[in-house]
């Protein structure tokens, strides 16, 4: 029996932008890879861009849903579009559909470091021997950093012996700890396919390229140089 590797992912695209090499590596090693999305992904500027409320440098102008033939996305529809991208991208990375868990804490009362920590404790109880991975507590995004803080606390409390933290692409310019892993040619192909999911624009089919409308520069940088930066607890 293999030891599960559990990834706690803040937003739909963080798995591809910051964790993809590690996910592919663990899938290839035969480990059970479980990906837990812990927010709805709402509040992104991409929703306003897609709804034609803001212009987009990536798109090269302003969308007009009426002319382009799609209904403006309310919060629920926007979350559904993002979740569809998330599931499809993880499929390209090799994760089984049944191991993709959607647990939006921001829709279920208080959302903070403690609520993320409680979610992690639930998974640690379900999988007593397992590895746990999330974004770094050094992260500039508070919803990312909460998970890093929570997992680091759990490691220091002895709740897990295996914890790792990913540096977000947006923070790579900062002087932060970590070891850099570069994708192999085979891994690059899988990452490219996952990125294409986030670039797919076909509103009739429910594809709205949310990832690329949100952080196109991060996708472009990652595809030019596909790498993960990972650090250990208390670094």
């Amino acid at each position: 029996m293999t030891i599960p590797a559990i990834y706690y992912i803040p937003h739909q695209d963080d798995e591809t932008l910051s964790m993809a090499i590690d996910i592919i590596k663990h899938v290839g090693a035969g480990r059970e890879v479980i990906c837990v999305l812990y927010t709805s992904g709402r509040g992104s500027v991409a929703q306003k861009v897609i709804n034609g409320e803001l212009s987009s440098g990536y798109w090269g102008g302003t969308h007009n849903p009426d002319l382009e033939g799609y209904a403006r996305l309310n919060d629920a529809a926007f979350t559904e579009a993002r979740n569809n991208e998330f599931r499809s991208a993880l499929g390209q990375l090799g994760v089984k559909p049944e191991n993709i868990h959607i647990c939006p804490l921001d829709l279920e009362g208080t959302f903070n470091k403690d609520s993320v920590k409680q979610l992690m404790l639930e998974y640690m109880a379900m999988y007593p021997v397992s590895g746990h991975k999330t974004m770094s507590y050094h992260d500039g995004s508070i919803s990312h950093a909460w998970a890093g803080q929570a997992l680091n606390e759990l490691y220091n409390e002895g709740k897990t012996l295996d914890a790792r933290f990913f540096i977000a692409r947006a923070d790579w310019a900062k002087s932060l700890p970590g070891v850099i892993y570069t994708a192999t040619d085979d891994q690059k192909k899988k990452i490219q396919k996952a990125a294409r999911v986030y670039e797919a624009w076909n509103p009739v089919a429910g594809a709205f390229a949310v990832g690329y409308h949100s952080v196109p520069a991060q996708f472009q940088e990652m595809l030019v140089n596909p790498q993960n930066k990972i650090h250990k607890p208390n670094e």
Side-chain angles (χ1 to χ4, degrees):
M1 181 177 178
T2 63
I3 297 174
I6 305 175
Y7 295 79
Y8 303 95
I9 302 168
H11 302 109
Q12 305 92 329
D13 65 17
D14 288 316
E15 80 298 329
T16 298
L17 290 171
S18 299
M19 305 175 173
I21 297 171
D22 202 63
I23 290 172
I24 295 168
K25 181 178 69 175
H26 283 83
V27 169
R31 289 183 68 176
E32 197 75 3
V33 171
I34 299 167
C35 293
V36 184
L37 177 68
Y38 64 84
T39 81
S40 66
R42 296 180 184 181
S44 168
V45 69
Q47 185 174 356
K48 291 184 177 180
V49 171
I50 293 167
N51 286 343
E53 299 171 29
L54 295 174
S55 64
S56 166
Y58 161 70
W59 190 252
T62 303
H63 282 291
N64 187 324
D66 296 329
L67 292 179
E68 295 177 52
Y70 64 91
R72 289 165 176 79
L73 301 180
N74 60 23
D75 287 346
F78 183 69
T79 292
E80 181 180 8
R82 295 202 73 175
N83 287 346
N84 288 340
E85 290 180 348
F86 181 69
R87 293 187 183 96
S88 295
L90 282 171
Q92 296 299 329
L93 301 180
V95 179
K96 300 173 186 175
E98 61 269 27
N99 285 349
I100 301 172
H101 300 178
I102 310 294
C103 305
L105 299 175
D106 55 327
L107 301 183
E108 302 174 0
T110 303
F111 173 45
N112 54 26
K113 183 259 293 180
D114 290 334
S115 64
V116 181
K117 188 174 182 179
Q118 180 58 41
L119 178 66
M120 291 176 175
L121 281 168
E122 292 171 9
Y123 275 86
M124 290 174 182
M126 286 189 284
Y127 303 94
V129 180
S130 52
H132 301 268
K133 303 161 185 286
T134 193
M135 304 304 294
S136 174
Y137 40 82
H138 297 297
D139 204 295
S141 167
I142 189 62
S143 58
H144 288 206
W146 279 336
Q149 293 164 10
L151 183 55
N152 200 54
E153 287 181 7
L154 289 167
Y155 175 84
N156 288 330
E157 292 166 8
K159 298 296 193 299
T160 179
L161 300 177
D162 184 359
R164 292 294 183 272
F165 305 87
F166 294 85
I167 302 294
R169 301 293 306 188
D171 289 336
W172 274 47
K174 300 177 182 178
S175 179
L176 295 173
V179 176
I180 293 175
Y181 296 89
T182 300
T184 64
D185 288 342
D186 183 61
Q187 290 168 347
K188 286 178 183 177
K189 292 176 183 177
K190 292 177 181 178
I191 293 169
Q192 288 167 351
K193 291 177 180 178
R196 287 189 194 120
V197 170
Y198 287 106
E199 193 178 17
W201 177 261
N202 186 356
V204 175
F208 292 92
V210 180
Y212 267 75
H213 279 86
S214 177
V215 287
Q218 290 187 44
F219 275 101
Q220 291 158 6
E221 291 167 7
M222 182 269 297
L223 289 173
V224 168
N225 195 14
Q227 294 178 320
N228 288 166
K229 189 173 183 180
I230 309 172
H231 69 83
K232 296 178 181 179
N234 302 318
E235 290 187 342

